[in-house]
Amino acid sequence: MVISPSEFLRALCDHKILFETGVDGIYGRGGSFERALLGFEGLLTTRMAPDHADLLRFPPVIPRRDMETAGYLSSFPHLAGSVFSFTGDEAEARTLGSLAKEHGDWSALQTQTEVCLTPAACYPIYPWLAAQGAVAADGRLIDVSSFCFRHEPSDDPARMQSFRMREHVKIGTQSQVEAWHSGWSERGADILRSVGLETTEAPASDPFFGRTGRMLAANQVAQGFKLERSYLIAGSRPTPVMSLNYHHDHFSHDFDLKGPGGEPIHSACVAFGLDRVALALFSAHGLDDTKWPADVRGHLGLDELP
Ligand code: 5GP
Ligand code: ZN
């Protein structure tokens, strides 16, 4: 039976799988949701272990300067979240407190801080890597994961404003990055299939802003720089649960990343949308996770998790 995204959200909330907060796209996660998500992330860790990626974690905020350098505010100004805070005196603090208590407009009493909300788990990597010096001759493979923020409120539970993304990021010469990239679509399909999610692959583009953005998106599709694996979670259109992005040498120019001979380097990433995979599992196998097929529960390690 096909149900709409908003009906699926209602069912998830009725079963205490997600909890609404009053803001579209911001949810509390119940135990069965979290166990499914952690189970899938554990499966990813196992399946990616032979690659020996460097494990790296950043908090879900990124220096504003790095967000600016990456050009995020030109490409995706409508999705960016930036952190503001209070730097005023005591009188202003009193005004702020009482305005906020009455749910009035307290934005004039805020000033921009040095941080933005991380829009994709791999963004903090590029400035970090540039600070390490030239990239080694055999390239780098880095494992990152983060809560990510995008300002796109929606009543589709698969379109969250704050969601988790687990990525592997390959950095190196064009041929190193292309070789790594070429195996990942099938590998991702296989991992998702092992938990009962038969996905479809399609070329895709990022939601660049405005008229220039439409040209950038068309170019991205034409060059095959973005591939997505999608699953029909709810409604009539499959939702991307994994994406494979080839950045060419874009981040090398932004962050002055260099190879051993001083040449620009290439990068690509594979990103799994962990919350979307958890939603896909509930959509595929039902809202009662104790009734999921034994092999799916086994691959997710659900019988071992507390
Ligand atoms: P991308 O950077 O390719 O847009 O996103 C990487 C992955 O994060 C996607 O393949 C998708 O699974 C996940 N993702 C993207 N946008 C959202 C969203 O709005 N909500 C959730 N839950 N996941 C998202
Ligand atoms: Zn990425």
Side-chain angles (χ1 to χ4, degrees), residues 40 188-197 199 229 241-242 272 277:
F40 183 74
D190 190 50
I191 296 172
L192 291 159
R193 189 176 300 121
S194 76
V195 291
L197 303 176
T199 54
R229 286 218 153 262
V241 291
M242 178 197 119
F272 287 86
V277 172

Side-chain angles (χ1 to χ4, degrees), residues 143-214:
D143 178 320
V144 273
S145 182
S146 182
F147 257 102
C148 299
F149 176 87
R150 294 179 189 174
H151 184 244
E152 39 187 358
S154 161
D155 64 357
D156 177 352
R159 168 77 54 220
M160 294 180 175
Q161 295 202 63
S162 185
F163 55 93
R164 278 162 284 186
M165 204 187 280
R166 173 80 179 268
E167 297 195 42
H168 263 193
V169 189
K170 179 71 189 175
I171 296 119
T173 61
Q174 182 161 2
S175 58
Q176 285 165 347
V177 170
E178 282 175 359
W180 174 86
H181 185 274
S182 67
W184 252 111
S185 180
E186 277 319 306
R187 231 180 134 182
D190 190 50
I191 296 172
L192 291 159
R193 189 176 300 121
S194 76
V195 291
L197 303 176
E198 200 58 56
T199 54
T200 50
E201 184 201 89
S205 59
D206 288 312
F208 294 102
F209 183 76
R211 203 157 0 122
T212 323
R214 279 196 288 282

Side-chain angles (χ1 to χ4, degrees), residues 63-147:
R64 172 158 56 92
R65 200 181 165 76
D66 293 338
M67 192 82 161
E68 293 161 358
T69 304
Y72 197 85
L73 281 306
S74 307
S75 298
F76 312 106
H78 55 309
L79 301 180
S82 45
V83 178
F84 283 68
S85 196
F86 175 71
T87 52
D89 60 21
E90 287 199 33
E92 286 167 328
R94 279 193 294 279
T95 312
L96 171 68
S98 49
L99 272 172
K101 197 85 207 244
E102 293 154 14
H103 304 299
D105 179 2
W106 43 279
S107 56
L109 290 151
Q110 295 283 289
T111 48
Q112 194 167 25
T113 69
E114 291 303 303
V115 292
C116 289
L117 301 179
T118 302
C122 67
Y123 269 78
I125 286 189
Y126 311 103
W128 170 84
L129 198 62
Q132 319 278 304
V135 174
D138 51 355
R140 296 288 295 259
L141 182 65
I142 296 164
D143 178 320
V144 273
S145 182
S146 182
F147 257 102

